[in-house]
Amino acid sequence: MSNTLWQRLLPSLAVLGSVTSLCVGTSFAKHLFPVIGAQGTTALRVGFSALLLLAIWRPWRFGPTRANLAQIAVFGAVLGLMNLLFYMAIKRLPFGITVAIEFIGPLSVAVWTSRRMLDLVWLALAVLGLFLLLILPLFGVQVGALDPVGLLLAIAASACWAGYIVLGKRAGRMHGGMVVSLGLLSAAVVVVPFGIAEAGAKLLTPSLLIYGLAVAAVSSAIPYSLEMFALKRMSHSGFSTMLATEPAVAALAGMLLLNEQLTVIQWTAIGVIMIAAMGSALTARPQETQPQVAEGKLAAPA
């Protein structure tokens, strides 16, 4: 393989590695649910992720102002709520389906901010995917049983991801490492009390702390490093397109690591939503918000 071809492939492989690491980390995190619940797992994941990124970025070096801190606090609170809702959703739903539903959030932001007729096509495809998952069962079609509370939680997580992207765009003038590290610290302040209420002193079990640290590294520190590498070497549209493979990777991880089996219609719905996300990324104009859609996943739950 020539050096030129390898240089072209390496950023895409980095994004794929990031997505795979996120999905594997989340799949292993789900094994903690029977012990400390979804809320306790979220607390460990977000808490350790915050500590890791604070150590990496040392955000105090960038001299954040009070206004910066207030803005980041709101941003982080939404991030924390998004993580909490997502983990509570995957407790009740297959991993791949939850991620596919969650992708509706950033896709909606991309369509809303562009307001082009072509983007209505991508929105229509996303709606079709949701129709296959949510509406067909109401007509007696055997799609596969999905927990209604889990669906509501996934939709709420999707709305939080949309809000996270909008708030992230407003914070875009600040240093990215400072925003994501302090944002995760704010997120931890939001979710840790829920984890304590759910799991109590179990969160301090040494073996669980080690497991939680490993989950945080695999689902945050490693993906973050790989995505930063890729973003410097490929277009935002290309990055977003590669990122849109996540629902399929999540579904495969759920099948291989969690024994979550999906029906043909559910796989089709995931594929339709992925096509919508990829189409939106590939046809986006440079001035549109695709960078925020892409980077919004750096600290996101999966």
Side-chain angles (χ1 to χ4, degrees):
M1 184 181 295
S2 66
N3 289 335
T4 303
L5 181 58
W6 178 249
Q7 290 174 356
R8 291 179 180 177
L9 285 176
L10 195 57
S12 296
L13 292 174
V15 180
L16 185 59
S18 170
V19 169
T20 302
S21 185
L22 279 165
C23 293
V24 169
T26 303
S27 297
F28 283 121
K30 197 168 179 177
H31 289 296
L32 290 174
F33 286 5
V35 183
I36 55 174
Q39 294 94 319
T41 303
T42 309
L44 287 183
R45 192 261 185 180
V46 174
F48 277 122
S49 295
L51 292 176
L52 287 170
L53 290 178
L54 284 170
I56 292 170
W57 287 107
R58 292 170 290 165
W60 49 88
R61 296 179 299 153
F62 305 107
T65 65
R66 286 187 178 181
N68 293 153
L69 293 175
Q71 194 172 4
I72 292 172
V74 176
F75 168 77
V78 174
L79 169 61
L81 185 59
M82 175 179 66
N83 275 270
L84 184 62
L85 290 168
F86 178 84
Y87 272 70
M88 291 173 69
I90 64 171
K91 182 178 180 180
R92 297 170 175 269
L93 297 176
F95 185 18
I97 289 177
T98 308
V99 172
I101 293 173
E102 194 195 21
F103 256 76
I104 303 300
L107 180 60
S108 298
V109 172
V111 172
W112 177 260
T113 52
S114 69
R115 298 177 183 174
R116 292 181 302 158
M117 291 300 296
L118 178 60
D119 288 302
L120 294 178
V121 175
W122 311 128
L123 183 61
L125 280 175
V127 171
L128 174 60
L130 290 179
F131 175 83
L132 293 174
L133 288 174
L134 309 181
I135 307 301
L136 274 186
L138 299 180
F139 294 94
V141 179
Q142 296 299 314
V143 174
L146 294 175
D147 184 279
V149 175
L151 291 173
L152 290 175
L153 290 168
I155 292 169
S158 174
C160 285
W161 192 3
Y164 169 85
I165 292 168
V166 173
L167 293 169
K169 181 182 178 182
R170 294 174 183 173
R173 297 183 183 90
M174 292 179 268
H175 188 277
M178 180 181 74
V179 172
V180 74
S181 56
L182 291 179
L184 272 168
L185 178 60
S186 178
V189 171
V190 172
V191 303
V192 167
F194 287 94
I196 294 173
E198 173 74 12
K202 289 181 181 179
L203 290 175
L204 299 178
T205 304
S207 59
L208 294 181
L209 288 173
I210 294 171
Y211 196 98
L213 178 60
V215 166
V218 174
S219 62
S220 291
I222 292 174
Y224 184 85
S225 301
L226 290 172
E227 289 182 13
M228 285 294 98
F229 171 85
L231 275 168
K232 294 178 181 179
R233 293 165 175 81
M234 65 192 304
S235 67
H236 284 298
S237 62
F239 181 88
S240 297
T241 303
M242 288 296 300
L243 201 68
T245 62
E246 186 174 336
V249 176
L252 286 172
M255 182 174 65
L256 296 175
L257 301 177
L258 300 170
N259 197 30
E260 295 176 347
Q261 305 298 322
L262 303 181
T263 66
V264 173
I265 293 178
Q266 288 172 340
W267 275 106
T268 302
I270 289 173
V272 168
I273 292 173
M274 284 176 54
I275 291 170
M278 290 179 178
S280 177
L282 289 171
T283 59
R285 294 171 181 168
Q287 69 270 26
E288 290 172 1
T289 58
Q290 285 303 321
Q292 283 71 37
V293 174
E295 294 167 7
K297 204 59 185 175
L298 293 176

